[in-house]
Amino acid sequence: MRRDGIEYGVYVATACAVAALAVMAIFTLRTRGIHAGFGFLWDTAGFDVSFGLIPYDATKSYARAFLVGLLNTLVVSALAIALATGLGLGLAIARLSEDPPLRTLATAATELIRNTPLLLQLFVWYFMVFGALPPVRQSLHLGSFALLNNRGIVVAAPGMNPVVLLCLAAAAASILTATMERRLSMAIGLFRRAVVRTAFATAGALLLLAAAAFADWELPIQRGFNVTGGLTLPPEFAALVTALAIYAAAFIGEAFRSGFVSVPAGQWEAAQSLGLGRFATLRLIILPQAVRAALPALGNQFVNVVKASSLAAAVGFPDLMQVFGKTTLNQTGQAVEVIGITMAVYLAISLGISGLVHRSEARHWRA
Amino acid sequence: MLLAVILAAGIFLGPKLFRWAVFDAVLPWSEAASCDGRGACWLFIRERLPQFIYGFYPAPSRWRLDLAFLLLFGWLLVPLLPGLRRKTAGTIAGAAIGIAAAFVLAAGGVFGLASVETDQWGGLFVTALLSITAMVVSLPAGIVLALGRQADSPLWRGLANMTVEVIRGVPLLAILFMAVVLLPLFVPGGEGIGLFTRVVVGLCLYASAYMAEVVRGALRTIPTGQAEAARALGLGYWRCLSLVVLPQALRAALPNIVSTFIQMLKDSTLVLVVGVFDLLGVVQLTVADPKWNGYSAEAYLFAGLFFFAICFSLSRVAARMERHLDNKRTSST
């Protein structure tokens, strides 16, 4: 009984405290001449960004700048996650391999990467690798497809035309059909299902290649002090993606490795007694269980990559944190709104990724 | 064949790296006046070492920072004092006093010590101060948050859930920005709160949320029978917790707690983005110094080695703790 009274008291006190904080904040902001509200989003931004996926310049609104930053964050994170997963898988395989030198090397690399701060690694990549690239006149050439210099990496940019669009659409449809496991298994037998899936997947791959062939590639050409054509990836972008990918790869490798190790030895023995070869055992029995076990840790690392991409603010790459959280905040002074929106976006992304991983966990269990 | 490629790369690069780092290098104890540019310039590190450790602290007052260093770590020895009862309470009290004393010593302004503004603090001292404060504060705060998450009352549960989820779902930079920019708005007279204090608050919040998750995981591994038995013996909520559940939970969570400490140490480097110069921040500054140009490799190597040494040893300690715990768990029937 007494506890109920105390509880109600705490409820009321908390509500009062929150109200007091809000009033306090609005009052302090007013005295600085800043009005609460989201109207500032439609004011002219007045600053440029060095990299963006949508057209943007200084005359556009803060809302537009927000979109640019958000897209950049998503692109950097997606790229880093993809690279990190591949690298991590490789690292895990190396750590579990049978010859000691490879194992030691992989373990040493993992420990080195895991135990140094990400910011330090980012600085090393930015200042000592991508910043140390030669000036434009002496750019390094990677075939005719890419140019590396201290202003960035210029890669050949694909141009869009109707044929490319068609090929891409067909490829997407093809690959989607190949992944539709349950529907297919209802319709046809197991063996035929495997054949059909492989056929669609191959068709998809071929269509992608066709799209690549038909695209009007814009090759980067260096003339004097400038490079014309192509898509320029600023050194900040390259450094951020590389640092994030390598850092996450160490942790993802650890996740894969522990997932692999958690599969009981009895599974191997049972598979062997059934006459399954090493590769078949891996593919049909061990890997599904290993990946299932590693999924939560994997999802966690994916979320960490997205959060760590905010370090772009340390090297000046215009991601969400830099463009919105730093520049917009400094210019408009609308602290509560800007930080609130930024935090809400990151929260949404993290919860979204965690939710997706949860759902795929459940799906694996069902299948 | 992948192995062959890697080995080949290693054999090719290894000796070159070694020559640069050791043979051609100007070692820290050499008498050269400046570096010849052929090998690594470790002289640079020796020249800059005081700045790396003390930041911009005025030279005559540096003994205060030495004392503060001792205070920051000294409380770890409290459990070793002979004849001391109530060791946990003693360690906690020691930690709180040590950290507070370190802050006071560094800031000055009392007991006749000259006042030193927080913007002159920097380097290793700031890293140590920030990390240890975050670690020490995060344990009790994390425990409170974890208990809140499994409380009966929906108010506490909701508050704790929201706090932990929001802080964990958001980058540390966002928390730091929030602390630096929003704290003065919500607190009366908030303009007077220095940047350093705001950063400390932000870091402690972040660390507490992660510690809360660790403690919550550990609490779930304790069989409910323990709490029920304790209640059956007549122990109240807090007694039951402090005498029965928490000691077991914390002991089980020790490896994860140490892992979180490692994470905090590495994450403390982010404060340089908001303008507080920790070790990495000072290193970064010296790299940009035009007088010692081009020695970024040595500087980053030094910082990297330092962090690696500490984090790696801590991770070995955590691994040993984990093995010890596993042995205890499987051996006791």
Side-chain angles (χ1 to χ4, degrees), chain B residues 108-183:
Chain B
V110 290
F111 305 132
L113 294 168
S115 163
V116 180
E117 289 299 317
T118 53
D119 56 5
Q120 287 182 295
W121 300 6
L124 183 54
F125 172 66
V126 165
T127 299
L129 190 62
L130 286 175
S131 320
I132 298 205
T133 311
M135 291 178 198
V136 166
V137 168
S138 72
L139 261 179
I143 293 175
V144 166
L145 279 172
L147 290 174
R149 286 190 85 166
Q150 49 176 50
D152 294 321
S153 134
L155 171 72
W156 293 128
R157 220 174 34 235
L159 271 178
N161 269 333
M162 215 175 61
T163 316
V164 172
E165 286 305 317
V166 166
I167 297 183
R168 274 172 49 103
V170 163
L172 174 56
L173 264 184
I175 303 281
L176 285 177
F177 281 179
M178 184 186 82
V180 168
V181 172
L182 291 185
L183 207 58

Side-chain angles (χ1 to χ4, degrees), chain A residues 223-273:
Chain A
R223 283 196 187 91
F225 285 108
N226 281 309
V227 175
T228 48
L231 175 68
T232 310
L233 301 170
E236 294 86 11
F237 179 85
L240 191 61
V241 171
T242 321
L244 276 177
I246 293 190
Y247 190 74
F251 288 91
I252 289 182
E254 202 42 31
F256 275 134
R257 192 188 68 98
S258 40
F260 200 84
V261 161
S262 74
V263 178
Q267 302 283 312
W268 282 99
E269 294 164 2
Q272 225 176 19
S273 68

Side-chain angles (χ1 to χ4, degrees), chain B residues 52-134:
Chain B
F52 288 163
I53 298 183
Y54 301 109
F56 318 107
Y57 216 77
S61 308
R62 285 191 180 151
W63 60 269
R64 284 158 57 179
L65 288 189
D66 294 329
L67 201 55
F69 267 120
L70 281 174
L71 285 169
L72 277 176
F73 292 102
W75 54 271
L76 285 165
L77 300 170
V78 168
L80 298 172
L81 284 177
L84 177 70
R85 294 173 53 200
R86 311 202 62 187
K87 287 195 172 149
T88 3
T91 322
I92 298 175
I97 295 177
I99 294 179
F103 265 104
V104 167
L105 256 182
V110 290
F111 305 132
L113 294 168
S115 163
V116 180
E117 289 299 317
T118 53
D119 56 5
Q120 287 182 295
W121 300 6
L124 183 54
F125 172 66
V126 165
T127 299
L129 190 62
L130 286 175
S131 320
I132 298 205
T133 311

